[in-house]
Every structure is written in C-alpha cells, then in structure tokens.
Amino acid sequence: MPKKPVADVSDTETRATSEHAPDLRLWLRTLACTNLIENHIRSCLRAEFGITLPRFDLMAQLERSPQGLKMGELSKRMMVTGGNVTGITDQLVAEGLVLREDSPKDRRAYIVKLTPQGRHSFRKMAEAHEKWVVELFGGMDEKQRGQLYQLLALLKTSAAAAAGNKPRPRRT
Amino acid sequence: MPKKPVADVSDTETRATSEHAPDLRLWLRTLACTNLIENHIRSCLRAEFGITLPRFDLMAQLERSPQGLKMGELSKRMMVTGGNVTGITDQLVAEGLVLREDSPKDRRAYIVKLTPQGRHSFRKMAEAHEKWVVELFGGMDEKQRGQLYQLLALLKTSAAAAAGNKPRPRRT
DNA sequence: TTGTATATATCGACGCTTAAAATATCAAAA
DNA sequence: TTTTGATATTTTAAGCGTCGATATATACAA
C-alpha cells in the first residue's frame, strides 16, 4: 500500500527554525498548507472519480468560460507552461471530455471547450470538490477566513511585483 | 434585520454553491500565491545555480538535520512520496552532494546526509533563496505578515484535521 | 511587396511525482 | 521457532511539468 505522506509535527515547515528569517518561515508555512490541501484533494479526486487533479483543474477553467479558451489562456490561468496544457488537453480530448475547435479569428489558435459529457462529469465532481474544500477550511471561522483572503490578496500583489521584475517575464 | 431569504427547495445545489463559494475562492487564491512564488523560486534556482527546486528542498531538509535523515523522514517532511525521494536522492548522490549511509540500527533503512561539498553548495544557494523570499513578501508590512503567519497556523491545523479524518488510507 | 519580429501551439528530452507492487527487514505473537 | 503483520525502501508504469526548439501564422515596418 502506497503510504501517503502524512503531515505531522516534523513536516516541511521544520525546514526553518529559529535561526531563519521570519519571511522564510512564513513561506514554508504557506507551502505546507498548500501541499496538505492539494494532496488531500488529489487523493479524493482519484478515489471518488478516478480523475487526476490537473485534468480537473483544466476542466474547471473551461467550466468558468463557457465560450471556450485558447491554449495560451489555459496556460496562463493554470500557471503552467504551454507544452503542459497540450498534453493534458490531448488526454481529455481522448476521453471525450473536451474538444478543440479551430479559432475563426486566428488560424494559429485553438478554442478548447467542454463537451456536454465533460460538463456533466465536471459538475458532479465540482460539487464534491467544493465540499472537501469547505471541510478543509472548516476549522477557521468566517472572520478569520475573510482576513486570510484579504492578506493573500496583498501577498499575491507583492509576489507578482517581485517575480515580474526578475527572470520570469511571462506577461500578456 | 435584513430581508429574509426565501427558501427555494428546487435550488439546493445552487444555494449550497453560492454559500460556500467563498471557501473555494479562498483556496484558489492560496494556490495562486503558492504557484507564483514557487515558480519564481524555481526559475531563479535554475538560472543562478543550475539546480532544481526539489533537489534544493531535499538539501534544505538535510541542512536542518546534520545527523542525517532516513528516507522516510525526508518523505514526510517534504510531503512527497517515498519513491520520489529515492529518485531525487539518487541524483544528488551522483552529483556528490549527498551520501547514503547504512543505518546501524535498522538494515532496511538508510541515513542520508549532506557531503561537505553539498553543505558548502547549499549554504551559498540558501543565502540567495532567502533573499528572493524576502523580496516576494516585501510588499506586506510586518504586521500583515505576522497576521498571515497566525492565520496560516489555523489553516494548517484545520486542513490537517480534515485531511486526516476523511478518505485516507484504509487500515486493514 | 519584402523583411523582421512577435504570437500560438506542438514536439522531444529530461526530470519530478504519484500509485501500486515488490523486496527486505523487523518485531512480536502463536 | 515459525508465523504474522507492520515498517523501510525500491521499483515500475503512467502521468505531470519545464525547457528549449520548431513550425506556422500574424503584425508591422520599410
């Protein structure tokens, strides 16, 4: 049995101790939370629906954009490279869950959409997914969640500014 | 008292969704922050030191534990599977940055340690790494970072509880 | 028009990651 | 002792993900 990595008191966060900068500990705690949640959702999706997290994520993007999205749009929104989106899309097309249409405006581009079957499958999964997320955040009260939401907005702005200047210029 | 919502039995799903959608947005924002930061650090490590992020992370764990760590300890702390640790360790051993020692207590286990060269390499990288992290969080003031740190502690506890109870490995 | 630059997507090579199965060891009960 | 079950790690196969290179299409300038 593939023992899943279980977080305990000595997880990723222990990489930093008192001698490290507070910012480093903050980052490692952020990362630990994300890994914990992501690993749980991944295993739930697999156990309940036999789907991988990346495929679910791609379908989630399409569900939010019923008019369809170009490959590049998917790449940006999922924060992964274009080549990666090509591969995941290929898989979903083979499963009949999404389809590629030629863009009428730009012959270089495809428009990717959910098929009716894909939309139907996704909606059932999304319901369970949301329930899991609610459970994962359930130990915080509403005020705390609201504060966290606001602080993460600041972090996102801060990190985007810092990352944008350096060696990762992927901008539209 | 504000207007009372009218019960709509035929809309249970939609109601549940709009009720819990904030948690979903909170999770997606958390994920976006992590991806942004992680992608930036990954490309910086690659550009400046020609190393991958997983290898850096493994070395960071060993730096924190000079007595060395067993493979399973590394797996837990890095929150990845054991097979993954095997592969990354193999690479680092081949590069001379890490070594495997037989455990004197348990012949199944290895003790993994940084080599002197590995320790030296890591310290230079860690200095730059910490600088990048400080930059990424630099748009938040100290009070905000402190609040975020506290809220993430709550999230970690909450998520660990939810992930630990539910559809986890079934002990037979 | 021609040339150059930019944008869109795919491909191939390589490395990371998981899940599941295999191997070996340990520990303790029968 | 032998058996039983748990623990520690590796192995395998499939999928994810990046990077760099390529092919093609678009945009724009001279």
Side-chain angles (χ1 to χ4, degrees):
Chain A
M1 39 270 110
K3 194 76 157 52
K4 288 223 77 141
V6 173
D8 60 9
V9 277
S10 61
D11 64 8
T12 304
E13 207 180 319
T14 62
R15 200 165 71 200
T17 48
S18 49
E19 65 196 77
H20 290 83
D23 282 353
L24 202 45
R25 276 181 289 175
L26 175 52
W27 162 231
L28 294 175
R29 180 170 287 184
T30 308
L31 188 56
C33 287
T34 298
N35 286 338
L36 196 51
I37 295 168
E38 205 169 32
N39 285 341
H40 180 64
I41 291 174
R42 184 198 322 282
S43 74
C44 287
L45 278 174
R46 166 172 283 272
E48 302 273 331
F49 300 107
I51 198 177
T52 64
L53 182 53
R55 291 180 203 187
F56 177 86
D57 284 344
L58 194 151
M59 292 176 76
Q61 293 296 339
L62 295 182
E63 156 89 3
R64 279 196 226 165
S65 301
Q67 76 287 2
L69 290 171
K70 295 195 294 182
M71 300 296 282
E73 283 290 334
L74 279 169
S75 169
K76 258 193 308 187
R77 298 190 189 204
M78 296 175 71
M79 301 175 90
V80 297
T81 56
N84 191 357
V85 172
T86 297
I88 298 171
T89 301
D90 287 346
Q91 296 283 349
L92 289 170
V93 168
E95 294 181 89
L97 298 172
V98 310
L99 57 86
R100 280 184 169 96
E101 288 178 0
D102 292 330
S103 170
K105 295 283 191 180
D106 187 338
R107 277 184 302 187
R108 294 170 298 184
Y110 292 114
I111 307 292
V112 185
K113 293 182 180 176
L114 286 176
T115 63
Q117 182 199 343
R119 190 175 305 278
H120 181 258
S121 293
F122 177 77
R123 288 197 171 143
K124 287 197 298 188
M125 296 188 291
E127 189 181 354
H129 174 265
E130 185 170 314
K131 186 185 54 151
W132 301 327
V133 172
V134 169
E135 289 168 0
L136 287 160
F137 285 83
M140 305 177 72
D141 66 31
E142 188 167 334
K143 183 183 177 190
Q144 290 163 343
R145 292 193 300 256
Q147 286 178 344
L148 179 56
Y149 191 70
Q150 294 306 316
L151 289 166
L152 288 173
L154 296 177
L155 175 54
K156 195 171 164 184
T157 300
S158 172
N165 294 334
K166 283 286 186 153
R168 193 176 183 82
R170 206 65 193 113
R171 189 64 194 110
T172 313
Chain B
M1 197 139 184
K3 177 175 179 300
K4 202 153 194 176
V6 176
D8 184 349
V9 230
S10 66
D11 202 18
T12 306
E13 189 170 329
T14 303
R15 201 169 39 145
T17 296
S18 49
E19 200 172 299
H20 293 134
D23 281 351
L24 206 45
R25 285 197 295 270
L26 176 51
W27 162 234
L28 293 175
R29 182 169 286 183
T30 307
L31 189 56
C33 287
T34 299
N35 286 337
L36 197 50
I37 294 169
E38 205 169 31
N39 285 340
H40 180 64
I41 291 174
R42 185 199 320 283
S43 75
C44 286
L45 279 173
R46 181 184 191 84
E48 302 273 330
F49 300 107
I51 198 176
T52 64
L53 180 54
R55 291 180 202 187
F56 177 85
D57 284 343
L58 194 151
M59 293 175 76
Q61 292 295 343
L62 295 181
E63 155 89 4
R64 294 291 329 125
S65 300
Q67 77 286 1
L69 290 171
K70 294 196 297 182
M71 301 296 282
E73 280 292 328
L74 278 169
S75 170
K76 261 193 303 187
R77 298 191 189 203
M78 296 173 72
M79 300 174 94
V80 298
T81 56
N84 191 355
V85 172
T86 297
I88 299 170
T89 301
D90 287 347
Q91 295 285 345
L92 288 170
V93 169
E95 294 181 88
L97 298 172
V98 146
L99 58 85
R100 277 183 168 99
E101 289 178 359
D102 291 329
S103 170
K105 292 285 188 180
D106 186 339
R107 276 184 304 189
R108 294 170 298 181
Y110 292 113
I111 307 292
V112 185
K113 293 182 180 176
L114 285 176
T115 63
Q117 182 198 343
R119 190 175 305 278
H120 182 257
S121 293
F122 177 78
R123 289 198 170 143
K124 286 196 300 187
M125 295 188 291
E127 189 180 353
H129 175 264
E130 184 171 317
K131 187 187 53 157
W132 300 327
V133 171
V134 168
E135 289 168 1
L136 287 159
F137 284 82
M140 304 177 73
D141 66 32
E142 188 166 336
K143 183 183 176 190
Q144 291 163 343
R145 290 192 302 254
Q147 286 179 345
L148 180 57
Y149 190 71
Q150 294 307 316
L151 288 167
L152 288 174
L154 297 177
L155 174 55
K156 193 174 163 186
T157 300
S158 171
N165 293 334
K166 278 288 178 140
R168 265 293 159 161
R170 196 92 75 98
R171 293 284 149 108
T172 55

